[in-house]
Amino acid sequence: MAKEHSLDITAQIDKQEMKNAIDQAKREVTNRYDFKGLPAEIDYNEKAKTIILVSSSDNKVEAMMDIVISKIIKRGISSKAVNEHSRESVSGGNVKLTLAIKDVIGKEDAKKIVKEIKSKKLKVTPQIQGDEIRVKSKSIDELQATMRIVKEMDLDLPISFTNMQ
């Protein structure tokens, strides 16, 4: 009897690596010459899944966002995990940029992934389980083909594959 294999498709990110990336970004902004004497705040709220950037102008906020994203990428987290949520003017003529962190696969995206997997007629059974998708098969090759299919979909999510057995 053949053993059944499985893998989980998730959008989870490593929260500790995210904290480390934010800390590195804060240090770089503090040490950069073009931010000397200017307001420059980076605030990471893990529970709300947001990163708030505050600085004196749109250009400075954009530079801070570039720094944050580059540090996130260096820490092995997909840049798709962060996207711009809102931008507004705040007191003192400063600009506040809120970045939203995506670390779950929404229902619509999960349905789209399952539909795409099923359309390829692979010998796998995908199931949506909360905010992840479990894919089962008797063949590891079929699971690897499933991984390729999901990667090629180019979703706006930080897709990762875990628990491959």
Side-chain angles (χ1 to χ4, degrees):
M1 171 123 180
K3 181 178 184 265
E4 191 162 86
H5 303 282
S6 67
L7 72 89
D8 294 335
I9 302 171
T10 67
Q12 291 179 339
I13 58 170
D14 187 337
K15 289 177 177 37
Q16 186 59 49
E17 288 297 335
M18 181 63 85
K19 284 181 188 175
N20 293 342
I22 300 300
D23 287 342
Q24 284 183 333
K26 285 179 183 178
R27 267 188 257 122
E28 182 171 327
V29 167
T30 303
N31 293 331
R32 285 223 346 211
Y33 178 77
D34 54 338
F35 285 101
K36 293 283 186 222
L38 296 174
E41 297 174 32
I42 301 176
D43 183 38
Y44 172 53
N45 187 333
E46 191 174 341
K47 285 193 165 80
K49 297 180 182 178
T50 59
I51 302 168
I52 297 172
L53 310 174
V54 178
S55 192
S56 59
S57 69
D58 274 335
N59 291 344
K60 295 298 179 191
V61 168
E62 288 289 330
M64 289 171 63
M65 184 173 77
D66 289 344
I67 292 168
V68 168
I69 290 175
S70 72
K71 297 301 179 190
I72 287 171
I73 291 170
K74 284 182 183 173
R75 287 286 180 173
I77 299 172
S78 172
S79 62
K80 293 178 180 180
V82 178
N83 66 336
E84 187 173 328
H85 182 265
S86 65
R87 184 184 300 246
E88 58 191 280
S89 296
V90 292
S91 63
N94 293 332
V95 177
K96 175 181 169 184
L97 175 67
T98 304
L99 301 173
I101 299 171
K102 291 190 280 185
D103 66 348
V104 295
I105 298 176
K107 285 190 177 186
E108 291 302 313
D109 287 326
K111 288 178 184 176
K112 191 187 309 181
I113 292 169
V114 169
K115 183 178 178 184
E116 182 68 20
I117 292 169
K118 287 183 177 180
S119 74
K120 298 298 182 189
K121 305 282 189 228
L122 296 172
K123 294 179 182 171
V124 297
T125 54
Q127 293 177 308
I128 299 172
Q129 296 180 338
D131 58 355
E132 65 183 29
I133 301 167
R134 164 95 20 108
V135 183
K136 295 180 182 177
S137 176
K138 291 189 188 314
S139 166
I140 289 182
D141 293 339
E142 295 284 329
L143 292 178
Q144 290 172 337
T146 302
M147 291 167 65
R148 275 193 302 279
I149 289 166
V150 173
K151 284 179 185 175
E152 289 169 0
M153 287 179 71
D154 195 34
L155 297 166
D156 196 25
L157 293 167
I159 295 293
S160 61
F161 304 97
T162 59
N163 298 335
M164 188 156 177
Q165 302 171 358

